């Protein structure tokens, strides 16, 4: 089906579907005339994205950024660094840190 039919089926406007496409939230499927065609898989993907947005109270743009974090290691690292800096993420203790703390405790005990 074409974008107008798909939008009606999903309860969205064609403009909102184009916005979601621009954000990368639609599977990349087009026909030979460069028109987007919506089949059951594409409708299901849009429906799944809308369900995630409702369940986690996020916007389409926030969901698109979440996908970017999951798919681009440099973006994931930058977000992780920010999370560590502001205290939203705690760095895991490494084995060497544990051994260092153990050695310091033993030295203090002497």
């Amino acid at each position: 089906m074409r974008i107008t039919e798909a939008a009606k089926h999903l309860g969205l406007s064609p403009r909102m579907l184009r916005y979601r496409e621009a954000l990368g939230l639609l599977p990349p499927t087009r026909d030979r005339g460069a028109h987007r065609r919506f089949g059951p898989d594409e409708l299901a993907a849009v429906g799944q994205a809308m369900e995630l947005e409702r369940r986690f109270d996020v916007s389409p743009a926030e969901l698109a950024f979440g996908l970017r974090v999951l798919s681009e290691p440099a973006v994931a690292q930058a977000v992780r660094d920010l999370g560590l800096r502001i205290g939203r993420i705690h760095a895991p203790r490494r084995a060497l840190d544990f051994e260092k703390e153990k050695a310091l405790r033993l030295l203090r005990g002497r």
Side-chain angles (χ1 to χ4, degrees):
M1 70 181 69
R2 299 199 85 160
I3 193 166
T4 305
E5 297 169 84
K8 188 179 288 187
H9 180 78
L10 293 163
L12 299 171
S13 68
R15 184 176 181 175
M16 179 53 82
L17 275 180
R18 287 185 190 97
Y19 172 65
R20 289 171 173 282
E21 180 179 21
L23 291 173
L25 292 176
L26 298 181
T29 54
R30 292 188 175 271
D31 64 14
R32 283 179 278 146
H35 293 283
R36 176 171 282 289
R37 289 288 183 182
F38 290 84
D41 290 340
E42 290 78 21
L43 293 174
V46 175
Q48 182 179 6
M50 291 170 61
E51 172 57 29
L52 287 171
E53 292 159 15
R54 277 191 294 274
R55 187 182 336 157
F56 296 107
D57 192 28
V58 297
S59 70
E62 290 170 317
L63 182 59
F65 185 71
L67 289 171
R68 187 172 175 202
V69 167
L70 291 172
S71 64
E72 296 180 31
V75 176
Q77 186 60 52
V79 170
R80 180 171 168 56
D81 291 346
L82 174 63
L84 289 167
R85 174 168 283 176
I86 64 174
R88 295 271 313 262
I89 298 173
H90 300 287
R93 293 180 65 185
R94 296 185 305 232
L96 287 177
D97 293 337
F98 176 77
E99 292 298 325
K100 178 181 170 185
E101 289 175 18
K102 183 174 148 185
L104 288 172
R105 277 194 311 274
L106 288 172
L107 287 172
R108 281 188 223 120
R110 286 186 174 188

